[in-house]
Structure formats: C-alpha cells, structure tokens
Amino acid sequence: MGLVDKLKQQFDGPHIVNPLSHNKESEPLNSQEDIKVDRRSIYRNRFNNGVNLGSLFVLEPWIFESKLNEFGGNSELEYITNLRNRTSSNEAVNRLQNHYKEYMNRINWNWLRDVGHVTALRVPIGYWHVNNGAFTDGLPFQPLKEIYQRTKPWDSLKSLIDKAKQYNIGILIDIHGLPGGANGDSHSGDTSGNASFFHTPKYVNKMVDEVIPFIVNDIARRYENVIGLQVVNEAKFDEKAKDEQVYYEKAIRAINKIDSGLPIIISDGWWPQQWADWLAQKKFDTFVVVDSHVYRCFSEEDKSQSADQIIQNLPKGVNFPSNKADFVVGEFSCVLDGKTWSKTNGDRQGWVKKYGNEQIKLFNKLSSWGWFFWTLQFQWGDGGEWGFIPQVNNGAIPVRSKRAANIDKAKINAIIREHIKYWNGKGDKFEHERFEAGIKQAAADIEEFDKFDNSRVGRLHSWMLMRRAQHIKSHGNSEFIWEWEQGFQRGISEFNN
C-alpha cells in the first residue's frame, strides 16, 4: 500500500463502489443516477422527524380499546369478525367508518406542522385495506371482504395523503399486516401466531404480483408526498433469513420496475448488520432503507436495568452500520418498564426527558432517513410516555430546527484550500477539482432541500451513491474519485445540520 492510500484511510467514510455495477447474476435495477431535486425528490429523500398513526387502520385495542374489544378478540380479524357475527355487517361497517373519520378529524395538523415540526407520518395498513379489500381472496381476511369494500379504508387513506400535503407532510405507507404475519404478534392483523408469511409462496406471490404493484401505481406515483413503501413491519429474527431475502428481492424488483425512485423499506429483523451486508452484496443499497425499532421496556434485560443504565447502554444497542445502508427508526417511545422505575431514583420526568433526548441524539447520527415516534393519539388521554404530543411538549422529543441553512461560500473556499494544502507534496498527481465538485454539490443540494420547509438532505448513503454515479457519468471515473467522496462528505458534515 502506497503513501497516498495510507493517508486516504485516515478520512472518515468508506470508499464507495459504483452503484451501477449491479449483481451480474440477475437483471440490473433501474438507475437513479439522473437526479432532479424537485419537491417529490425532497419528500422522498429528506431526513424525517415523524410520528406513527398507530391504530388508525390496523386496529390495536390498547390504543383504541373500548371501540374495538367490546366483543372480544386480540386482533383486527377477530374484532371485526366477532362484531359482525354478534351484531350485523352494517354495524361493523358503521363502526369502522366512524373510527376512521373520528381519528382523522382529531389530528391537529397545525400542531404537527408548527409545533412538532413533523416532516412525515408513518401509516400502518394491512393488505386487507388495499383497494378496499380487493386483494383478500384466498387470504385470511376473505370472509370480511364485503366489510372493507363498504367501509372504504383506501379512500380514507387517500384523503389523509391529500390533507397531509396541505401541510408539507409526507406519508410513509407501512404494510403492517401481511397474510400469515411477518411475526406472531396481533399487530399483524390476526392471531394465528405462526408468522407464516415468508414461508408461504402463495402469500408472497400475492403481495409481489398484485398488492405491492397496485399500491405503487395507485398511490406512490400519484401523490408526490408519499415518501416510501415499507414492505414489512417487524419481521421476526431469523439467523439465515433465506425466505425473507426471497420476498425482499421480489418486492424490490417489482417496485423498481414501476417507480425506481421510490424508497423501499425493509425490516432489520432485529439484526441490522445482517441486512446492511445483504443490501451491499446485492447492490440494493441505493433503493432500500432498513427499518429498526428501538424499545427498552420489553426484554428482561431491559427490565433489570435502571433508567440511567439504559441510557448509558443505548449506543451499544443502537449501532447501525450506516456506512453500508440507510436506516430509519420506524418505531420508538419514551417508555421504560415499571421494574426499571423501581430501580431508578430521582425525578421520573427528568429521566424521561434525558432518555428521549439521548435517543434522538443517537438517531440523528445513525439513522440517515430519520425517525418516527410511536404513536400520535389514543382514544383516552394523551398516551403519556407512549404519546408523541406530550413528549414533544415536555421536551423529551426535541423538534427539528427550522432555521435556514447557512451555506458559507467563504468557508467552502477555505476548506478547498485546506484540502489542497494538506495533500501538497504527498503524491505526484491529484485531482483536487473533484474535491471541489463534491463539496459544492453537497452545498447545492442542501440549499435546494432547505428551500422546502427547511428540509435537510437524508438517505445520505443512497444520495451520495447517486450523486457519485452522476459525477462519474459527467466527468469520468478515476482513481481519485475518493477526492469527490471526501468533498461531498465534508460538505454534508459542515452544512447539513
């Protein structure tokens, strides 16, 4: 290894490969190298400070209990089946319609925009909601098809997207409920507990051949503020995850054929490194964001710790390999278990605030597509430490700054001179014009994003890959492409705060 190679290793950031060199064993995905920084692109690529709309469509009794569990059951399939059987189809339709309407009417859009500074909402849906139950044939929700045809949740979702756009808020469509379930929990929509989705070809093919293409064509392409499609929520841990890989690849390719710019979100399956490595190996990292959920209130290990211990240990447990892929924290809260509080001295609200602030600090550093708190509203009360609004108002969840980006042209020129001076005499040849192009490209992107509601560039791994490919297309490849990379990274670190 020569002197220049050794010195290059001193810089932060990986030497990134050409994203256009896709896996030769399969058909290449569509290129995103020609980037247009329009409003749709900003919606899809900016850093997000967001919140979930839990129990709007995928019903969870602990959020809206009395309306849903009167007739028993632990999942939406059971709730609505029991409701219909013990009353009537008309009653089931009326209750669902009223729920959608009342939930959406309670959303305080001015607060989200002006106080919470929210950029996007993550909206969990089930496959049974898509096109108002049209894709339920042969699947567990088929007996309830008529209910959803009449209830029209898909129409409600479109109204929600339109309303959000009026406030410059994006919508992340999260397929929370898959046929058979991606995990054994009731929030998948049914309580079979088998998590059979990935291992059932009929279910997988139904999603990738019919449901997902419909969502992309009917919503993602039509509405500029639809920021991405999450193809699974909380996949269970699987050491080999071969079936998960099959589904993800099929879903990625199906979406890419229709809309190559749409971010595709997969679950980390409680092992972020596994999926970052897989995306890098498949060259899917330009198209995909990995979703990780961060809760410190469920495991016995968490319950055995005090609040201070949990806060101190956060960096060990939230350690995303963000040099290989883009990450988003799709769910988190400020909740700690009662056993943790029994081991904690001092003011509870003070600890909650510290816990929330430390989470946001960590997420802002590691999750390049941002974060979504769980959740926005509840039938009764404000949700306490599960509630976004009280935690923002209490200062536990810091809101994003809406100050204008400060692109200091004199500082850019000084950084360029510093770069040239540092490398002077350390090699026979350099291409410092690439460093200059990189930092100026980053600054130009930050300025363009800032024009739309003081947004900041997100999906930094993917965005840099695409800009790098664009630079190579215009100026040719070179052994000194690392200079462009370092210039772009420096611009982001200096001005994208």
Side-chain angles (χ1 to χ4, degrees):
M1 182 181 290
L3 173 63
V4 173
D5 292 321
K6 291 179 180 178
L7 290 168
K8 283 190 290 186
Q9 287 189 342
Q10 297 176 9
F11 285 80
D12 291 331
H15 182 75
I16 301 174
V17 299
N18 184 350
L20 303 184
S21 59
H22 294 297
N23 189 341
K24 295 180 180 179
E25 296 178 358
S26 55
E27 180 184 352
L29 298 180
N30 297 325
S31 169
Q32 300 180 52
E33 62 185 84
D34 295 320
I35 302 172
K36 182 180 180 182
V37 187
D38 55 12
R39 184 161 292 196
R40 180 186 294 270
S41 181
I42 295 173
Y43 267 123
R44 292 177 170 188
N45 292 284
R46 65 180 173 177
F47 187 92
N48 288 297
N49 291 39
V51 62
N52 284 271
L53 299 190
S55 204
L56 168 52
F57 295 113
V58 180
L59 306 179
E60 298 191 47
W62 70 278
I63 301 177
F64 278 82
E65 57 178 353
S66 71
K67 293 185 179 181
L68 308 175
N69 69 0
E70 179 181 350
F71 300 99
N74 295 313
S75 68
E76 181 162 349
L77 181 61
E78 291 183 351
Y79 305 147
I80 305 305
T81 299
N82 292 343
L83 172 60
R84 180 200 61 185
N85 291 346
R86 298 178 188 181
T87 58
S88 66
S89 293
N90 287 340
E91 180 67 13
V93 169
N94 288 336
R95 289 201 186 197
L96 276 174
Q97 286 179 334
N98 288 337
H99 171 68
Y100 300 151
K101 182 179 179 180
E102 290 173 8
Y103 190 114
M104 291 170 59
N105 286 342
R106 289 175 60 185
I107 296 174
N108 187 336
W109 293 98
N110 288 319
W111 186 93
L112 290 174
R113 179 189 61 192
D114 301 332
V115 180
H117 295 182
V118 164
T119 63
L121 305 174
R122 182 172 178 260
V123 184
I125 65 168
Y127 70 89
W128 58 94
H129 297 116
V130 179
N131 199 22
N132 301 321
F135 298 102
T136 55
D137 290 348
L139 302 179
F141 269 81
Q142 181 176 346
L144 298 177
K145 181 176 182 177
E146 180 210 1
I147 301 295
Y148 292 97
Q149 286 177 322
R150 295 171 59 194
T151 305
K152 298 187 183 303
W154 201 243
D155 296 22
S156 296
L157 176 59
K158 290 180 177 180
S159 296
L160 178 78
I161 296 169
D162 274 328
K163 187 71 173 180
K165 185 180 176 182
Q166 297 175 25
Y167 293 83
N168 296 333
I169 292 174
I171 298 291
L172 168 57
I173 305 297
D174 160 36
I175 307 178
H176 217 71
L178 292 165
N183 56 62
D185 297 321
S186 62
H187 58 233
S188 291
D190 65 59
T191 51
S192 64
N194 295 324
S196 61
F197 171 75
F198 295 113
H199 314 305
T200 309
K202 179 180 76 170
Y203 292 164
V204 170
N205 292 337
K206 184 83 168 183
M207 293 302 301
V208 299
D209 294 338
E210 300 179 40
V211 180
I212 286 173
F214 179 84
I215 295 172
V216 177
N217 277 307
D218 195 57
I219 283 188
R221 296 183 66 189
R222 181 177 298 181
Y223 298 93
E224 70 175 7
N225 63 320
V226 171
I227 69 170
L229 177 59
Q230 182 157 355
V231 299
V232 64
N233 170 68
E234 277 192 15
K236 69 174 185 177
F237 173 80
D238 188 324
E239 186 173 357
K240 295 184 178 179
K242 296 298 183 183
D243 292 328
E244 286 84 346
Q245 292 175 17
V246 170
Y247 171 60
Y248 289 160
E249 179 159 0
K250 286 183 177 181
I252 290 165
R253 293 189 180 281
I255 294 168
N256 183 263
K257 286 180 182 179
I258 303 168
D259 187 344
S260 64
L262 182 68
I264 303 160
I265 297 83
I266 66 173
S267 170
D268 71 349
W270 311 103
W271 189 2
Q273 188 70 54
Q274 178 186 42
W275 293 105
D277 290 343
W278 182 76
L279 291 174
Q281 182 261 321
K282 298 292 292 187
K283 303 296 185 290
F284 290 158
D285 48 337
T286 308
F287 309 95
V288 176
V289 178
V290 182
D291 174 28
S292 188
H293 294 177
V294 178
Y295 291 119
R296 293 294 178 266
C297 57
F298 295 124
S299 73
E300 291 304 315
E301 180 182 359
D302 293 334
K303 295 175 184 179
S304 70
Q305 301 177 66
S306 68
D308 185 48
Q309 288 173 317
I310 285 176
I311 292 168
Q312 293 299 320
N313 290 330
L314 268 175
K316 297 178 183 178
V318 183
N319 188 19
F320 306 147
S322 51
N323 62 323
K324 282 192 172 183
D326 289 308
F327 282 82
V328 63
V329 178
E331 295 182 20
F332 74 104
S333 75
C334 288
V335 175
L336 299 174
D337 187 75
K339 292 182 180 179
T340 290
W341 290 119
S342 71
K343 300 175 178 66
T344 303
N345 297 318
D347 174 57
R348 176 165 174 156
Q349 184 53 46
W351 283 116
V352 169
K353 183 174 181 179
K354 184 174 182 180
Y355 176 48
N357 277 255
E358 287 300 313
Q359 287 187 102
I360 297 302
K361 180 180 178 181
L362 199 58
F363 301 161
N364 286 349
K365 178 181 178 182
L366 296 177
S367 55
S368 61
W369 207 42
W371 47 262
F372 293 83
F373 191 92
W374 188 274
T375 188
L376 180 63
Q377 60 171 289
F378 298 76
Q379 182 180 358
W380 308 117
D382 60 15
E385 288 148 12
W386 286 107
F388 182 64
I389 293 174
Q391 296 315 309
V392 168
N393 290 339
N394 293 339
I397 301 298
V399 300
R400 68 185 177 99
S401 170
K402 297 190 79 169
R403 293 191 300 269
N406 181 21
I407 306 296
D408 188 336
K409 301 301 194 313
K411 187 170 185 178
I412 290 175
N413 291 330
I415 291 171
I416 294 169
R417 291 193 299 270
E418 171 193 294
H419 174 83
I420 294 172
K421 181 179 179 180
Y422 178 85
W423 289 105
N424 187 33
K426 292 183 172 70
D428 296 330
K429 178 187 176 183
F430 293 97
E431 294 177 1
H432 297 317
E433 65 276 10
R434 292 188 188 267
F435 180 90
E436 180 176 353
I439 192 170
K440 288 185 175 180
Q441 181 66 72
D445 287 341
I446 293 165
E447 285 186 318
E448 287 302 309
F449 274 64
D450 184 65
K451 291 176 183 177
F452 179 49
D453 199 27
N454 304 114
S455 300
R456 293 294 176 262
V457 181
R459 289 184 72 205
L460 294 175
H461 179 80
S462 171
W463 192 260
M464 179 172 167
L465 280 173
M466 293 187 290
R467 280 301 192 201
R468 182 184 184 276
Q470 186 179 46
H471 172 79
I472 290 172
K473 182 179 179 181
S474 299
H475 299 89
N477 209 342
S478 165
E479 64 177 307
F480 295 100
I481 194 66
W482 62 268
E483 291 203 67
W484 183 92
E485 294 169 4
Q486 299 301 337
F488 190 87
Q489 289 170 338
R490 182 68 183 275
I492 291 293
S493 66
E494 290 284 349
F495 305 116
N496 198 47
N497 298 324

